[in-house]
């Protein structure tokens, strides 16, 4: 097969004359060197030779127009068929080359895809690895956050316990201070009585030694070192208690700038709260004292039925119709009412000032008969109202002094029925239905529900309206609301035989 660029014409020579196929091919090659400019090519002419022409041979010449060779070129048709069958034409080679190029391009494309996919696989692996690292980091951060929350909760619990301990110690310190003041007052009273008795004894001795006709009064002799003590029952003094100078931490914002009360005046002689000559008790309650002629308000000894104890109470005989036993009183904020369970059980304060009679004492009083409750309230503008309940009693300590009150009437509004049937709660004994301790927020002890419509044992704030994080003032919600601390509050009980529990 000859190249197409060299052969401008297709010449098929079928010759059986002079010369071999190689000679004819050489002649064809020499004739084609004339250039492509010619329109026709003469090929296959026989060369003259010295040999004479043979008559049995002939030659044929085909003249074809110049055109591009697209098919097969046969040089000699007399070659064997096996050789012709093994020849490959140019078109098949071009097709084969085209297929090879396509396959080469496909292989290159596949290699590029493989390279790209390999990079993507590596990126996916890296992303998965980073994802695992991020998951482990998130888990670690979550555990750290959980530990931090637990630590803060533990710190909050410890802080709350420490706060309760501080409050307990503060309450105990104030209680000891009040007891010391009471003992000091009693000592001063006993000292004044001893001094009065010494002066009286010295005067009697002088009268015995002087002559009857001589009326000149001799100079008083100094009192003996050991004067005789006249046995007589002790009556608590009636003078007003000296205001506690130690500022209560719970009520430190009150800034007691009011003028201090005058020092108590020592009583002369043996003056008792009652001007009657009848014995001063013990009585069943204040109504019995009134029935026996003790019509003056003051301190009395009371011994309830079925109780093996004596208690000092303040009897209000002036409030119509009299016979009221005062169980709680607030008037100047001199006593801290933020106390623990045992203190509320036994009672605290000053009988002639602010005090709480004690849950145990109230229980024994109200369970010896049918009693009614009267609550008198006064605000800072001088307005006075009252709330009366037809029945009032406490259950025993086994029931945590559960409150039982009856029907209400009055002009103060009913702020106690909501607490009916509730147990008493203090800062160290939580018996309310709230999730937290209401005594901690209300700063007192009361029959809290969740938490209070009344808080008469709260913090005594001066001036009425107060600002605090919680509603912890001395308030009666139906009268002036929970953000107003009342000036004076008195809770007192009296037998009511017409009322049943």
């Amino acid at each position: 097969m000859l190249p197409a660029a060299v052969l401008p014409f297709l010449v098929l020579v079928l010759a059986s004359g002079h010369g071999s196929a190689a000679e004819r091919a050489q002649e064809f090659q020499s004739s084609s060197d004339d250039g492509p400019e010619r329109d026709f090519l003469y090929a296959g002419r026989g060369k003259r030779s010295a040999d004479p022409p043979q008559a049995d041979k002939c030659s044929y010449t085909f003249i074809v127009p110049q055109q591009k060779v697209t098919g097969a070129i046969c040089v000699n048709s007399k070659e064997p068929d096996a050789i012709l069958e093994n020849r490959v034409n140019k078109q098949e080679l071009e097709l084969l080359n085209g297929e090879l190029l396509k396959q080469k391009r496909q292989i290159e494309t596949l290699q590029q895809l493989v390279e790209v996919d390999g990079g993507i696989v590596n990126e996916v692996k890296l992303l998965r690895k980073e994802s695992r690292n991020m998951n482990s980091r998130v888990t670690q951060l979550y555990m750290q956050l959980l530990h931090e929350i637990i630590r803060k909760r533990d710190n909050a619990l410890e802080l709350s316990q420490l706060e309760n301990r501080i409050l307990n110690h503060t309450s105990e310190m104030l209680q000891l201070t009040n007891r010391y003041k009471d003992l000091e007052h009693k000592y001063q009273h006993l000292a004044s009585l001893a001094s009065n008795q010494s002066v009286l004894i010295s005067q009697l001795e002088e009268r015995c030694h002087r002559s009857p006709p001589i009326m000149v009064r001799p100079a008083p002799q100094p009192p003996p070192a050991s004067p005789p003590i006249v046995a007589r029952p002790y009556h608590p003094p009636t003078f007003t208690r000296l205001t506690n100078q130690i500022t209560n931490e719970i009520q430190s914002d009150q800034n007691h700038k009011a003028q201090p009360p005058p020092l108590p005046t020592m009583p002369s002689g043996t003056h008792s709260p009652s001007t009657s000559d009848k014995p001063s008790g013990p009585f069943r309650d204040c109504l019995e004292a009134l029935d026996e002629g003790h019509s003056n308000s003051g301190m009395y000894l009371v011994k309830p039925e079925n109780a093996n104890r004596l208690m000092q109470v303040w009897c209000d005989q002036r409030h119509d119709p009299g016979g009221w036993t005062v169980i709680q009183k607030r008037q100047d904020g001199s006593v801290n009412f933020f106390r623990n369970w045992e203190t509320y059980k036994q009672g605290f304060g000053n009988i002639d000032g602010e005090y709480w009679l004690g849950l145990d004492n109230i229980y024994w009083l109200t369970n010896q008969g049918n009693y009614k409750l009267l609550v008198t309230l006064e605000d800072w503008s001088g307005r006075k109202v009252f709330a009366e309940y037809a029945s009032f009693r406490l259950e025993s300590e086994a029931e945590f002094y559960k409150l039982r009150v009856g029907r209400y009437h009055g002009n103060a509004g009913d702020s106690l029925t909501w607490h009916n049937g509730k147990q008493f709660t203090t800062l160290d004994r939580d018996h309310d239905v709230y999730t937290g301790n209401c005594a901690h927020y209300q700063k007192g002890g009361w029959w809290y529900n969740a938490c209070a419509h009344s808080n008469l044992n709260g913090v005594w704030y001066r001036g009425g309206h107060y600002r605090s994080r919680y509603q912890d003032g001395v308030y009666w919600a139906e009268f002036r609301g929970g953000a107003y601390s009342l000036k004076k509050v008195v809770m007192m009980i009296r037998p009511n035989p017409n009322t049943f529990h």
Side-chain angles (χ1 to χ4, degrees):
M1 181 177 291
L2 298 176
V6 179
L7 298 177
F9 300 100
L10 175 63
V11 178
L12 177 61
V13 180
L14 299 175
S16 62
H18 301 285
S20 62
E23 293 176 353
R24 290 193 298 271
Q26 182 178 5
E27 182 181 359
F28 179 79
Q29 179 68 28
S30 62
S31 64
S32 63
D33 292 336
D34 295 335
E37 290 85 2
R38 298 177 56 184
D39 294 333
F40 296 96
L41 176 65
Y42 297 92
R45 292 181 180 180
K47 293 182 180 181
R48 295 181 179 181
S49 62
D51 297 333
Q54 296 180 5
D56 56 350
K57 295 183 180 179
C58 63
S59 61
Y60 299 92
T61 301
F62 297 93
I63 299 173
V64 295
Q66 183 181 1
Q67 62 180 358
K68 185 177 180 180
V69 178
T70 58
I73 300 175
C74 297
V75 178
N76 189 359
S77 60
K78 291 185 177 182
E79 294 180 357
D81 294 336
I83 297 175
L84 292 175
E85 290 177 358
N86 292 329
R87 292 181 181 273
V88 180
N89 56 25
K90 181 180 179 182
Q91 186 176 8
E92 291 177 353
L93 287 176
E94 290 179 353
L95 291 176
L96 183 59
N97 288 332
E99 290 295 330
L100 290 176
L101 290 175
K102 288 182 182 180
Q103 291 180 1
K104 183 177 181 181
R105 294 192 189 98
Q106 290 179 357
I107 290 173
E108 292 177 353
T109 304
L110 290 175
Q111 288 179 351
Q112 294 177 359
L113 291 177
V114 168
E115 292 178 357
V116 173
D117 291 342
I120 294 176
V121 169
N122 293 330
E123 291 180 359
V124 170
K125 289 181 179 179
L126 292 176
L127 289 175
R128 287 179 179 176
K129 185 176 180 180
E130 291 180 358
S131 176
R132 288 194 296 269
N133 293 335
M134 290 298 295
N135 290 336
S136 61
R137 180 59 178 167
V138 169
T139 304
Q140 183 180 2
L141 292 176
Y142 175 77
M143 295 301 297
Q144 291 178 357
L145 180 62
L146 184 61
H147 287 305
E148 186 69 18
I149 292 174
I150 294 174
R151 187 180 63 82
K152 289 185 177 180
R153 185 188 64 181
D154 295 339
N155 291 338
L157 293 176
E158 292 178 359
L159 182 62
S160 177
Q161 293 176 358
L162 181 61
E163 182 181 3
N164 291 334
R165 291 177 182 176
I166 293 175
L167 292 175
N168 289 335
H169 289 309
T170 303
S171 301
E172 292 176 359
M173 182 185 68
L174 293 175
Q175 184 179 5
L176 291 176
T177 304
N178 292 332
R179 289 180 181 177
Y180 171 76
K181 293 292 183 181
D182 293 339
L183 291 175
E184 184 179 5
H185 295 157
K186 291 179 181 179
Y187 171 76
Q188 292 176 357
H189 178 65
L190 291 175
S192 64
L193 289 179
S195 177
N196 292 334
Q197 290 176 359
S198 299
V199 173
L200 181 61
I201 291 173
S202 63
Q203 291 178 357
L204 291 176
E205 289 178 351
E206 291 173 1
R207 290 183 181 180
C208 291
H209 287 89
R210 70 186 179 183
S211 59
I214 300 175
M215 302 301 295
V216 179
R217 183 177 181 180
Q221 300 293 328
S226 299
I229 303 299
V230 179
R232 63 182 65 193
Y234 166 72
H235 300 286
T238 59
F239 55 83
T240 306
R241 188 183 64 84
L242 181 64
T243 304
N244 188 3
Q245 299 299 328
I246 298 179
T247 304
N248 182 6
E249 293 183 359
I250 302 301
Q251 301 174 353
S252 59
D253 58 344
Q254 301 306 311
N255 295 326
H256 296 285
K257 297 181 180 179
Q259 297 181 355
L263 294 176
T265 304
M266 298 301 174
S268 60
T270 57
H271 179 71
S272 64
S274 176
T275 57
S276 174
D277 295 334
K278 295 182 179 181
S280 57
F283 304 102
R284 182 173 179 266
D285 52 26
C286 292
L287 180 59
E288 183 176 312
L290 179 64
D291 293 340
E292 293 187 9
H294 297 274
S295 59
N296 292 333
S297 298
M299 290 179 288
Y300 290 85
L301 284 178
V302 171
K303 182 180 183 300
E305 294 179 358
N306 302 324
N308 56 355
R309 66 178 63 193
L310 289 174
M311 63 184 75
Q312 270 190 337
V313 299
W314 184 272
C315 292
D316 188 345
Q317 312 292 25
R318 293 176 299 176
H319 197 91
D320 187 45
W324 295 98
T325 303
V326 178
I327 63 174
Q328 187 255 24
K329 185 189 297 183
R330 305 296 300 273
Q331 60 185 14
D332 55 12
S334 59
V335 175
N336 177 23
F337 273 67
F338 194 21
R339 305 297 186 98
N340 57 17
W341 178 268
E342 189 63 26
T343 309
Y344 265 100
K345 174 184 175 181
Q346 300 298 334
F348 56 88
N350 304 285
I351 297 296
D352 56 345
E354 289 193 343
Y355 83 102
W356 172 260
L357 182 58
L359 293 169
D360 221 27
N361 296 332
I362 299 174
Y363 162 74
W364 287 110
L365 278 173
T366 57
N367 280 270
Q368 64 179 345
N370 298 324
Y371 281 79
K372 61 181 178 180
L373 172 67
L374 176 64
V375 181
T376 61
L377 312 169
E378 181 180 350
D379 62 8
W380 289 87
S381 61
R383 181 184 174 187
K384 298 180 180 180
V385 294
F386 75 95
E388 185 174 323
Y389 294 87
S391 64
F392 172 81
R393 70 181 178 91
L394 299 184
E395 296 186 6
S396 65
E397 186 178 10
E399 295 294 329
F400 305 109
Y401 300 109
K402 186 179 295 185
L403 175 66
R404 300 295 184 185
V405 293
R407 187 179 64 258
Y408 157 83
H409 76 90
N411 60 356
D414 183 9
S415 292
L416 190 60
T417 301
W418 194 65
H419 300 268
N420 188 26
K422 299 299 178 289
Q423 298 170 346
F424 202 83
T425 293
T426 59
L427 59 93
D428 57 339
R429 298 283 186 91
D430 185 5
H431 301 133
D432 55 58
V433 299
Y434 185 62
T435 54
N437 189 342
C438 291
H440 175 75
Y441 303 109
Q442 305 288 321
K443 298 294 186 297
W446 199 248
W447 298 276
Y448 292 115
N449 188 342
C451 279
H453 282 181
S454 57
N455 189 39
L456 302 186
N457 289 339
V459 181
W460 189 87
Y461 288 102
R462 183 180 299 276
H465 292 287
Y466 64 93
R467 290 185 300 175
S468 178
R469 186 176 180 182
Y470 307 105
Q471 289 187 349
D472 52 5
V474 180
Y475 68 85
W476 189 269
E478 296 295 329
F479 176 60
R480 302 306 301 265
Y484 188 94
S485 185
L486 300 172
K487 182 179 181 181
K488 292 183 180 180
V489 173
V490 179
M491 297 176 64
M492 43 192 174
I493 58 175
R494 187 180 190 275
N496 187 14
N498 299 325
T499 303
F500 298 94
H501 296 305

